[in-house]
Structures are given as C-alpha cells and as structure tokens.
Amino acid sequence: EGVEIECVNGTRLQSARAIFCAGAFSDRLARKAGGSHVPMIVPVRGEYLELHESQHHLVKGLIYPVPDPAVPFLGVHFTPTMGSVTTSASRQVLVGPNAVLAMSREGYSWSHINPTDLLEAASFPGLWKLGLKHWRFAFGEMYRSLVLSAQMKDINMFLPAIKRSHLRRGRAGVRAQALDVSGSLVDDFIFDEDCPQSQLHVRNAPSPGATSSLAIAKMIVDKAVHRFGWGPPL
C-alpha cells in the first residue's frame, strides 16, 4: 500500500507514506482519500490596512484588543512589520485584519469569485447555522470591508489621532477555517482517522500557526510516527 499524487502539471509522485497539510483544501483531499465529510473548510478573508509612515511614531509595539468571547475573531489590532507590500518602505504598521467570508478558497479580494467554492459552502448546513448566530457581526465586517471609513470607530478606540487619510489598503490573507455541522468553528487540531493507514491528513491546525510552528511540527511528527508504525514518539 502506497500513495500516488498527481500534480496539476501532470507530474506523478509516488511514496510509501504521505502527510497532507493542505490548508484551504485539506477537507477535499481527505474526502478524496475516503476521509470524513466534516469538518468543512470555509474561507475567511482577513484584510489589512497600512498606516501612513508619518504616523508610525504612534505605534511602538503590538496593540491588541481584549478578545470578545462571543465573537470568533480577535478584531482590529496594530502590528509593526519589517516592510510594506504596497510601498518600498522598510517598516510598516498593519491595522486589522477584519474577517469576511471569501468568495473563493483563494479569494484574496472581492473580485476573486469561484462558483464551485461558493456552491459548496452554501450547501453546507454548518455555514447557515454560523450565519444565524453571528449575522450582525458578519454584515458589519462586510460593510467595513467595502467602506474603509466605517473602520475608523474601532481604530480610534485605540489611537484617536489616526484619521482616514492616514490609512491605505494593504495585504490580505485567507484563513482556512474549519467548521462543523452545528455551525461551530473548530478551534483544535484535527487529524483524519478514516483515511488509508499510509496517509496522515491534517484537517485543522488553528492559529497561531507561525508562533507555534515548532510545537505543531512535533505534534504532526508524533502522530506520523504512531500512525505509520515507525516507533515511539520523539
């Protein structure tokens, strides 16, 4: 028993064992291998604003809000970084992100629309249940995404001196959010146990991924060692 992977360019890769960490497509790959239909990945886009260089002196470190346990996302925060994606500046301050339902699993803007992704998400009962629970938050995020000035109230709670003219649109990312049939966001690690023994599918790896990368890697290795019969965990 082994694994054969066909890439989009036609290349075929063969291996005795394989670990799949496919992010936004983790559920589809697992289902193709005989895995469970849940959880489903729902793409959530996080859009950042960039603070104008003239206002960088206002942010000397990370500024985070106190999390609201009733809402599944953190909310606006300020993050100094090493560079800008829109200018040649060597330092940048990101403001955000928001959290809006993406129209594609690779939907980094409103213009990125994938009918297959949309139909799949719309046919999943868990998404409708989530929407009913958090519809006010969801529509508010959509409005603030389309109307930049609508974000000023939240921003000025932390830095009253910032004006609309001090902000410009920046980068965006897509969060592969795992969702169960009850409409609950999955906030723990999930490894599919229904796939062939030669495969280990990581179905969900929650934030913070970069901060916890070494610990996450050890967890995956331990799972692989146990599943593939390679010996005791490291």
Side-chain angles (χ1 to χ4, degrees), residues 86-107:
T86 60
T87 72
S88 59
S90 60
R91 182 180 184 271
Q92 189 49 264
V93 176
L94 298 177
V95 183
N98 55 9
V100 295
L101 180 65
M103 302 293 115
S104 166
R105 294 200 178 198
E106 296 179 290

Side-chain angles (χ1 to χ4, degrees), residues 219-233:
M219 175 185 288
I220 294 173
V221 169
D222 286 348
K223 284 282 185 180
V225 165
H226 175 73
R227 185 171 181 84
F228 299 153
W230 286 343

Side-chain angles (χ1 to χ4, degrees), residues 63-77 137 158:
I63 302 176
Y64 276 70
V66 176
D68 182 352
V71 178
F73 299 99
L74 180 59
V76 64
H77 46 280
F137 172 82
F158 299 95

Side-chain angles (χ1 to χ4, degrees), residues 44-120:
V44 178
R45 183 172 63 253
E47 303 163 335
Y48 285 95
L49 302 176
E50 292 185 354
L51 185 63
H52 192 274
E53 286 73 20
S54 65
Q55 305 302 308
H56 283 188
H57 66 279
L58 296 174
V59 183
K60 302 185 184 302
L62 299 173
I63 302 176
Y64 276 70
V66 176
D68 182 352
V71 178
F73 299 99
L74 180 59
V76 64
H77 46 280
F78 300 80
T79 308
T81 71
M82 295 180 64
S84 168
V85 297
T86 60
T87 72
S88 59
S90 60
R91 182 180 184 271
Q92 189 49 264
V93 176
L94 298 177
V95 183
N98 55 9
V100 295
L101 180 65
M103 302 293 115
S104 166
R105 294 200 178 198
E106 296 179 290
Y108 293 94
S109 71
W110 283 102
S111 62
H112 292 167
I113 301 173
N114 185 303
T116 300
D117 293 346
L118 271 178
L119 180 61
E120 184 177 35

